[in-house]
PDB file of all heavy atoms in Angstrom:
ATOM      1  N   GLU F 218      15.410  21.987 -16.616  1.00 88.00           N
ATOM      2  CA  GLU F 218      16.286  22.986 -17.206  1.00 88.00           C
ATOM      3  C   GLU F 218      17.319  23.489 -16.200  1.00 88.00           C
ATOM      4  O   GLU F 218      18.383  23.964 -16.574  1.00 88.00           O
ATOM      5  CB  GLU F 218      15.449  24.135 -17.724  1.00 88.00           C
ATOM      6  CG  GLU F 218      14.551  23.780 -18.902  1.00 88.00           C
ATOM      7  CD  GLU F 218      13.752  24.971 -19.405  1.00 88.00           C
ATOM      8  OE1 GLU F 218      13.926  26.073 -18.814  1.00 88.00           O
ATOM      9  OE2 GLU F 218      12.998  24.802 -20.364  1.00 88.00           O
ATOM     10  N   ASN F 219      16.997  23.357 -14.917  1.00 90.00           N
ATOM     11  CA  ASN F 219      17.950  23.773 -13.877  1.00 90.00           C
ATOM     12  C   ASN F 219      19.003  22.704 -13.570  1.00 90.00           C
ATOM     13  O   ASN F 219      19.830  22.875 -12.674  1.00 90.00           O
ATOM     14  CB  ASN F 219      17.212  24.149 -12.606  1.00 90.00           C
ATOM     15  CG  ASN F 219      16.367  22.994 -12.058  1.00 90.00           C
ATOM     16  OD1 ASN F 219      16.400  21.880 -12.568  1.00 90.00           O
ATOM     17  ND2 ASN F 219      15.588  23.265 -11.020  1.00 90.00           N
ATOM     18  N   GLY F 220      18.937  21.588 -14.289  1.00 89.00           N
ATOM     19  CA  GLY F 220      19.897  20.517 -14.103  1.00 89.00           C
ATOM     20  C   GLY F 220      19.564  19.590 -12.968  1.00 89.00           C
ATOM     21  O   GLY F 220      20.369  18.720 -12.597  1.00 89.00           O
ATOM     22  N   ARG F 221      18.360  19.722 -12.401  1.00 92.00           N
ATOM     23  CA  ARG F 221      17.949  18.864 -11.279  1.00 92.00           C
ATOM     24  C   ARG F 221      16.879  17.879 -11.722  1.00 92.00           C
ATOM     25  O   ARG F 221      16.110  18.146 -12.651  1.00 92.00           O
ATOM     26  CB  ARG F 221      17.391  19.726 -10.132  1.00 92.00           C
ATOM     27  CG  ARG F 221      18.422  20.658  -9.516  1.00 92.00           C
ATOM     28  CD  ARG F 221      17.807  21.434  -8.366  1.00 92.00           C
ATOM     29  NE  ARG F 221      18.768  22.312  -7.730  1.00 92.00           N
ATOM     30  CZ  ARG F 221      18.493  23.125  -6.706  1.00 92.00           C
ATOM     31  NH1 ARG F 221      17.271  23.156  -6.200  1.00 92.00           N
ATOM     32  NH2 ARG F 221      19.431  23.886  -6.186  1.00 92.00           N
ATOM     33  N   ILE F 222      16.865  16.741 -11.066  1.00 94.00           N
ATOM     34  CA  ILE F 222      15.840  15.749 -11.343  1.00 94.00           C
ATOM     35  C   ILE F 222      14.503  16.237 -10.829  1.00 94.00           C
ATOM     36  O   ILE F 222      14.389  16.734  -9.697  1.00 94.00           O
ATOM     37  CB  ILE F 222      16.196  14.398 -10.651  1.00 94.00           C
ATOM     38  CG1 ILE F 222      17.442  13.784 -11.303  1.00 94.00           C
ATOM     39  CG2 ILE F 222      15.012  13.428 -10.710  1.00 94.00           C
ATOM     40  CD1 ILE F 222      17.212  13.288 -12.707  1.00 94.00           C
ATOM     41  N   GLU F 223      13.477  16.106 -11.672  1.00 96.00           N
ATOM     42  CA  GLU F 223      12.129  16.501 -11.296  1.00 96.00           C
ATOM     43  C   GLU F 223      11.185  15.318 -11.453  1.00 96.00           C
ATOM     44  O   GLU F 223      11.395  14.428 -12.286  1.00 96.00           O
ATOM     45  CB  GLU F 223      11.662  17.661 -12.171  1.00 96.00           C
ATOM     46  CG  GLU F 223      12.507  18.930 -12.019  1.00 96.00           C
ATOM     47  CD  GLU F 223      12.073  20.036 -12.964  1.00 96.00           C
ATOM     48  OE1 GLU F 223      11.013  19.865 -13.645  1.00 96.00           O
ATOM     49  OE2 GLU F 223      12.761  21.060 -13.026  1.00 96.00           O
ATOM     50  N   THR F 224      10.143  15.294 -10.639  1.00 96.00           N
ATOM     51  CA  THR F 224       9.154  14.216 -10.651  1.00 96.00           C
ATOM     52  C   THR F 224       7.974  14.611 -11.517  1.00 96.00           C
ATOM     53  O   THR F 224       7.458  15.724 -11.394  1.00 96.00           O
ATOM     54  CB  THR F 224       8.665  13.915  -9.238  1.00 96.00           C
ATOM     55  OG1 THR F 224       9.779  13.541  -8.419  1.00 96.00           O
ATOM     56  CG2 THR F 224       7.651  12.774  -9.246  1.00 96.00           C
ATOM     57  N   VAL F 225       7.545  13.711 -12.376  1.00 97.00           N
ATOM     58  CA  VAL F 225       6.362  13.936 -13.200  1.00 97.00           C
ATOM     59  C   VAL F 225       5.480  12.668 -13.179  1.00 97.00           C
ATOM     60  O   VAL F 225       5.858  11.652 -12.616  1.00 97.00           O
ATOM     61  CB  VAL F 225       6.737  14.294 -14.665  1.00 97.00           C
ATOM     62  CG1 VAL F 225       7.455  15.619 -14.721  1.00 97.00           C
ATOM     63  CG2 VAL F 225       7.600  13.193 -15.289  1.00 97.00           C
ATOM     64  N   VAL F 226       4.330  12.795 -13.776  1.00 97.00           N
ATOM     65  CA  VAL F 226       3.347  11.700 -13.795  1.00 97.00           C
ATOM     66  C   VAL F 226       3.905  10.505 -14.585  1.00 97.00           C
ATOM     67  O   VAL F 226       4.571  10.711 -15.619  1.00 97.00           O
ATOM     68  CB  VAL F 226       2.039  12.176 -14.448  1.00 97.00           C
ATOM     69  CG1 VAL F 226       1.008  11.074 -14.456  1.00 97.00           C
ATOM     70  CG2 VAL F 226       1.513  13.396 -13.722  1.00 97.00           C
ATOM     71  N   PRO F 227       3.669   9.279 -14.132  1.00 97.00           N
ATOM     72  CA  PRO F 227       4.129   8.108 -14.891  1.00 97.00           C
ATOM     73  C   PRO F 227       3.673   8.184 -16.356  1.00 97.00           C
ATOM     74  O   PRO F 227       2.496   8.412 -16.655  1.00 97.00           O
ATOM     75  CB  PRO F 227       3.453   6.947 -14.162  1.00 97.00           C
ATOM     76  CG  PRO F 227       3.331   7.419 -12.764  1.00 97.00           C
ATOM     77  CD  PRO F 227       3.033   8.898 -12.870  1.00 97.00           C
ATOM     78  N   GLY F 228       4.640   7.983 -17.264  1.00 96.00           N
ATOM     79  CA  GLY F 228       4.364   8.069 -18.674  1.00 96.00           C
ATOM     80  C   GLY F 228       4.636   9.416 -19.302  1.00 96.00           C
ATOM     81  O   GLY F 228       4.584   9.555 -20.530  1.00 96.00           O
ATOM     82  N   LYS F 229       4.953  10.420 -18.484  1.00 97.00           N
ATOM     83  CA  LYS F 229       5.191  11.767 -18.994  1.00 97.00           C
ATOM     84  C   LYS F 229       6.650  12.190 -18.849  1.00 97.00           C
ATOM     85  O   LYS F 229       6.978  13.353 -19.081  1.00 97.00           O
ATOM     86  CB  LYS F 229       4.306  12.779 -18.239  1.00 97.00           C
ATOM     87  CG  LYS F 229       2.827  12.488 -18.307  1.00 97.00           C
ATOM     88  CD  LYS F 229       2.320  12.557 -19.745  1.00 97.00           C
ATOM     89  CE  LYS F 229       0.793  12.368 -19.793  1.00 97.00           C
ATOM     90  NZ  LYS F 229       0.266  12.373 -21.195  1.00 97.00           N
ATOM     91  N   GLY F 230       7.509  11.244 -18.499  1.00 97.00           N
ATOM     92  CA  GLY F 230       8.921  11.570 -18.304  1.00 97.00           C
ATOM     93  C   GLY F 230       9.826  10.712 -19.154  1.00 97.00           C
ATOM     94  O   GLY F 230       9.405  10.124 -20.155  1.00 97.00           O
ATOM     95  N   ASP F 231      11.064  10.575 -18.716  1.00 97.00           N
ATOM     96  CA  ASP F 231      12.094   9.888 -19.468  1.00 97.00           C
ATOM     97  C   ASP F 231      12.612   8.635 -18.776  1.00 97.00           C
ATOM     98  O   ASP F 231      13.636   8.087 -19.199  1.00 97.00           O
ATOM     99  CB  ASP F 231      13.255  10.841 -19.735  1.00 97.00           C
ATOM    100  CG  ASP F 231      12.854  12.044 -20.567  1.00 97.00           C
ATOM    101  OD1 ASP F 231      12.072  11.846 -21.537  1.00 97.00           O
ATOM    102  OD2 ASP F 231      13.296  13.174 -20.275  1.00 97.00           O
ATOM    103  N   LEU F 232      11.949   8.195 -17.722  1.00 98.00           N
ATOM    104  CA  LEU F 232      12.362   6.948 -17.073  1.00 98.00           C
ATOM    105  C   LEU F 232      12.063   5.770 -18.021  1.00 98.00           C
ATOM    106  O   LEU F 232      11.000   5.727 -18.645  1.00 98.00           O
ATOM    107  CB  LEU F 232      11.602   6.757 -15.763  1.00 98.00           C
ATOM    108  CG  LEU F 232      12.127   5.667 -14.828  1.00 98.00           C
ATOM    109  CD1 LEU F 232      13.471   6.072 -14.238  1.00 98.00           C
ATOM    110  CD2 LEU F 232      11.140   5.403 -13.688  1.00 98.00           C
ATOM    111  N   ASN F 233      12.971   4.825 -18.080  1.00 98.00           N
ATOM    112  CA  ASN F 233      12.827   3.681 -18.984  1.00 98.00           C
ATOM    113  C   ASN F 233      11.871   2.654 -18.378  1.00 98.00           C
ATOM    114  O   ASN F 233      12.287   1.657 -17.756  1.00 98.00           O
ATOM    115  CB  ASN F 233      14.188   3.051 -19.259  1.00 98.00           C
ATOM    116  CG  ASN F 233      14.130   2.008 -20.379  1.00 98.00           C
ATOM    117  OD1 ASN F 233      13.049   1.535 -20.755  1.00 98.00           O
ATOM    118  ND2 ASN F 233      15.300   1.651 -20.906  1.00 98.00           N
ATOM    119  N   TYR F 234      10.576   2.907 -18.549  1.00 98.00           N
ATOM    120  CA  TYR F 234       9.551   2.002 -17.976  1.00 98.00           C
ATOM    121  C   TYR F 234       9.567   0.653 -18.643  1.00 98.00           C
ATOM    122  O   TYR F 234       9.226  -0.361 -18.001  1.00 98.00           O
ATOM    123  CB  TYR F 234       8.163   2.658 -18.099  1.00 98.00           C
ATOM    124  CG  TYR F 234       7.730   3.302 -16.825  1.00 98.00           C
ATOM    125  CD1 TYR F 234       8.071   4.630 -16.532  1.00 98.00           C
ATOM    126  CD2 TYR F 234       7.006   2.603 -15.870  1.00 98.00           C
ATOM    127  CE1 TYR F 234       7.674   5.236 -15.349  1.00 98.00           C
ATOM    128  CE2 TYR F 234       6.606   3.203 -14.691  1.00 98.00           C
ATOM    129  CZ  TYR F 234       6.950   4.516 -14.440  1.00 98.00           C
ATOM    130  OH  TYR F 234       6.565   5.112 -13.244  1.00 98.00           O
ATOM    131  N   GLU F 235       9.911   0.585 -19.912  1.00 97.00           N
ATOM    132  CA  GLU F 235       9.970  -0.719 -20.608  1.00 97.00           C
ATOM    133  C   GLU F 235      10.973  -1.629 -19.922  1.00 97.00           C
ATOM    134  O   GLU F 235      10.658  -2.797 -19.629  1.00 97.00           O
ATOM    135  CB  GLU F 235      10.331  -0.522 -22.090  1.00 97.00           C
ATOM    136  CG  GLU F 235       9.227   0.106 -22.932  1.00 97.00           C
ATOM    137  CD  GLU F 235       9.103   1.603 -22.719  1.00 97.00           C
ATOM    138  OE1 GLU F 235      10.022   2.216 -22.107  1.00 97.00           O
ATOM    139  OE2 GLU F 235       8.093   2.189 -23.162  1.00 97.00           O
ATOM    140  N   LEU F 236      12.151  -1.125 -19.640  1.00 98.00           N
ATOM    141  CA  LEU F 236      13.173  -1.925 -18.955  1.00 98.00           C
ATOM    142  C   LEU F 236      12.712  -2.271 -17.543  1.00 98.00           C
ATOM    143  O   LEU F 236      12.882  -3.403 -17.079  1.00 98.00           O
ATOM    144  CB  LEU F 236      14.499  -1.161 -18.912  1.00 98.00           C
ATOM    145  CG  LEU F 236      15.632  -1.843 -18.164  1.00 98.00           C
ATOM    146  CD1 LEU F 236      15.981  -3.194 -18.794  1.00 98.00           C
ATOM    147  CD2 LEU F 236      16.863  -0.938 -18.101  1.00 98.00           C
ATOM    148  N   TYR F 237      12.170  -1.276 -16.841  1.00 98.00           N
ATOM    149  CA  TYR F 237      11.692  -1.489 -15.463  1.00 98.00           C
ATOM    150  C   TYR F 237      10.681  -2.617 -15.423  1.00 98.00           C
ATOM    151  O   TYR F 237      10.799  -3.557 -14.612  1.00 98.00           O
ATOM    152  CB  TYR F 237      11.086  -0.171 -14.969  1.00 98.00           C
ATOM    153  CG  TYR F 237      10.516  -0.180 -13.589  1.00 98.00           C
ATOM    154  CD1 TYR F 237      10.878  -1.108 -12.601  1.00 98.00           C
ATOM    155  CD2 TYR F 237       9.566   0.792 -13.198  1.00 98.00           C
ATOM    156  CE1 TYR F 237      10.348  -1.080 -11.335  1.00 98.00           C
ATOM    157  CE2 TYR F 237       9.029   0.825 -11.930  1.00 98.00           C
ATOM    158  CZ  TYR F 237       9.427  -0.108 -10.991  1.00 98.00           C
ATOM    159  OH  TYR F 237       8.890  -0.094  -9.720  1.00 98.00           O
TER     160      TYR F 237
END
Side-chain angles (χ1 to χ4, degrees):
E218 294 181 0
N219 58 6
R221 296 181 179 180
I222 292 292
E223 298 176 6
T224 301
V225 294
V226 181
K229 303 298 184 182
D231 298 319
L232 192 70
N233 190 344
Y234 261 87
E235 289 77 13
L236 177 61
Y237 179 22

